[in-house]
Amino acid sequence: MNEAAKLVSDSLTGEFVTIKVNDNIYTVYPPSVKVLCRAISEFSKIGMDGEYNKVTVLAEVPQNSPHIIKGLSCMIVGDVKNWRWKAHKVGKRLVTLNMSELNKLKNEVLSLAGGDDFFSIAASLKSMSKIAAKPKL
């Protein structure tokens, strides 16, 4: 199979997503566990506790948007050499997006995370551990 056919077949099966941020195009692959941990570390710093209305949510943008952008840029860059520097470069481009574009980007990138696969792995291994750890009577 030639390279073009492979790219088309991979895009149809959903093994990666191509995103455009301003004039830059990125190919985002499903994140490894290491990349997910980097992104989740940033997402965990988001401080949205309490009840909000449309006006008070705007007050939270300056404190929380850097964590959202850093987490998304980690997932876009992936597990590459100099990932911090590359994620910083991508983050500088993500800052220019409006909230609607950032939300669309979040949906595209997080769709690759595969929460269903993780749940399947965790559930089966947890049930296996219960069977293996069951004391004999």
Side-chain angles (χ1 to χ4, degrees), residues 4-56:
K6 182 170 178 6
L7 285 173
V8 170
S9 68
D10 285 347
S11 67
L12 291 175
T13 59
E15 292 184 21
F16 65 87
V17 174
T18 303
I19 57 170
K20 183 177 179 187
V21 177
N22 299 331
D23 293 333
N24 300 297
I25 296 174
Y26 301 100
T27 302
V28 183
Y29 295 94
S32 65
V33 172
K34 184 191 304 187
V35 173
L36 276 175
C37 289
R38 289 175 187 159
I40 290 170
S41 172
E42 287 299 326
F43 296 151
S44 69
K45 297 174 185 174
I46 297 171
M48 294 276 302
D49 300 325
E51 293 185 27
Y52 294 97
N53 59 36
K54 290 181 181 182
V55 176
T56 57

Side-chain angles (χ1 to χ4, degrees), residues 65-131:
S65 61
H67 304 302
I68 295 168
I69 289 169
K70 285 180 185 177
L72 289 175
S73 63
C74 285
M75 291 185 72
I76 291 169
V77 169
D79 190 21
V80 294
K81 187 175 181 179
N82 298 323
W83 66 270
R84 281 187 178 95
W85 179 76
K86 291 178 181 179
H88 179 72
K89 271 181 65 175
V90 171
K92 288 173 105 177
R93 293 182 180 117
L94 295 182
V95 170
T96 63
L97 298 178
N98 63 38
M99 290 301 154
S100 176
E101 294 169 329
L102 198 60
N103 187 38
K104 182 181 176 198
L105 175 69
K106 181 242 346 158
N107 291 334
E108 290 176 356
V109 171
L110 289 182
S111 70
L112 294 172
D116 295 337
D117 293 333
F118 174 77
F119 179 77
S120 174
I121 292 168
S124 65
L125 292 177
K126 184 171 180 163
S127 66
M128 184 189 79
S129 69
K130 287 181 180 179
I131 293 170

